[in-house]
């Protein structure tokens, strides 16, 4: 079901550290840091990490074969986190997925803002017109389309959009960044039902806007 236009990921060996920061009282957020790529984001303290093996299996079920980059992590709100919510529709709790991967030389040369937009699902008009026969998602609706230039040569996009599958509509919020040399892609995706996204929008925006890359390579 996933689109994965940028298919040049060849691995992204990294160390993942989930660090809960607390001061006076209960901690509010868990900071998820990839130390070798100087990248981090935060999730509310009550969100739960998805088991790595279960996540890999769920991704392979959706993407087929090897799921792609060597580093992925996911969290989900609620008391029953489920790896199968990676791309299932109708989840009433936010599911957030992060990935970092190195691009092949060919993919690096071909990388553009539009291919970052279409990194996971077809977002641009061209990509949506060229989806293979039988692509099951319908009802595309664009909500946000922003170019991002956070510094150190890092650049990319933030896209928010709806898709419908078997009568259920989910809102997807994605940040796709690359370094100045366009050799690494840093990707963060969150989705849940449109009603979930609307009711949890402030918390969701805190997660998405926290995605930070402090490295130029």
């Amino acid at each position: 079901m996933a689109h994965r236009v940028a298919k040049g990921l060849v691995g992204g060996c990294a160390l993942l550290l989930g660090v809960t920061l607390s001061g006076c009282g209960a901690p509010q957020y868990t900071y998820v840091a990839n130390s070798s790529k100087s990248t981090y984001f935060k999730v509310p303290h009550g969100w739960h990490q998805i088991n790595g093996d279960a996540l890999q299996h769920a991704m392979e079920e959706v993407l087929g074969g090897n799921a792609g980059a060597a580093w992925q992590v996911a969290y989900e709100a609620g008391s029953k986190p489920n790896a199968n919510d990676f791309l299932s529709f109708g989840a009433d709790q936010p599911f957030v997925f992060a990935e970092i991967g190195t691009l092949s030389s060919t993919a690096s040369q071909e990388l553009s803002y539009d291919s970052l937009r279409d990194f996971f699902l077809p977002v641009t008009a061209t990509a949506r017109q060229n989806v293979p026969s039988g692509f099951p998602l319908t009802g595309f609706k664009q909500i946000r389309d922003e170019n991002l230039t956070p510094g150190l040569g890092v650049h990319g996009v933030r896209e928010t959009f709806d898709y419908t599958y078997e009568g259920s509509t989910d809102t997807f919020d994605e940040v796709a960044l690359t370094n100045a040399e366009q050799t690494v892609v840093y990707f963060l995706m969150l989705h849940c039902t449109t009603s979930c996204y609307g009711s949890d929008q402030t918390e969701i925006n805190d997660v998405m806007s926290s995605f930070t890359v402090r490295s130029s390579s």
Side-chain angles (χ1 to χ4, degrees), residues 8-204:
L9 292 176
V10 296
C13 296
L15 174 64
L16 171 69
L17 299 174
V19 182
T20 301
L21 300 187
S22 59
C24 297
Q28 289 185 298
Y29 295 100
T30 297
Y31 282 78
V32 184
N34 184 308
S35 60
S36 72
K37 296 298 183 183
S38 302
T39 302
Y40 69 86
F41 64 99
K42 68 182 183 181
V43 297
H45 180 63
W47 293 21
H48 303 286
Q49 185 172 355
I50 301 296
N51 174 272
D53 290 340
L55 176 64
Q56 182 71 16
H57 178 73
M59 292 179 66
E60 289 175 355
E61 287 288 313
V62 172
L63 302 175
N66 190 315
W71 183 88
Q72 300 100 7
V73 64
Y75 282 75
E76 188 169 20
S79 59
K80 297 180 179 180
N82 186 345
N84 291 328
D85 288 336
F86 165 65
L87 198 54
S88 65
F89 277 62
D92 60 3
Q93 298 285 351
F95 186 100
V96 63
F97 165 79
E99 175 177 85
I100 298 176
T102 303
L103 294 173
S104 66
S105 58
T106 300
S108 177
Q109 293 171 8
E110 295 176 352
L111 192 67
S112 66
Y113 278 98
D114 276 354
S115 56
L116 288 172
R117 289 181 174 91
D118 298 324
F119 181 74
F120 192 68
L121 289 171
V123 171
T124 64
T126 299
R128 287 184 283 112
Q129 290 168 2
N130 293 329
V131 294
S133 176
F135 183 72
L137 306 187
T138 61
F140 176 84
K141 178 184 177 182
Q142 184 108 47
I143 299 169
R144 177 192 285 113
D145 175 23
E146 295 178 2
N147 286 359
L148 304 176
T149 52
L152 297 175
V154 176
H155 57 283
V157 296
R158 181 173 177 185
E159 302 296 313
T160 308
F161 53 91
D162 292 345
Y163 261 122
T164 298
Y165 177 66
E166 294 186 344
S168 180
T169 301
D170 270 27
T171 299
F172 291 81
D173 202 337
E174 300 179 351
V175 174
L177 301 171
T178 188
N179 57 341
E181 296 79 15
Q182 299 196 160
T183 57
V184 180
V185 169
Y186 313 83
F187 180 69
L188 185 70
M189 179 271 287
L190 183 150
H191 79 98
C192 63
T193 62
T194 54
S195 58
C196 154
Y197 188 90
S199 62
D200 294 340
Q201 199 163 30
T202 298
E203 190 171 63
I204 288 170

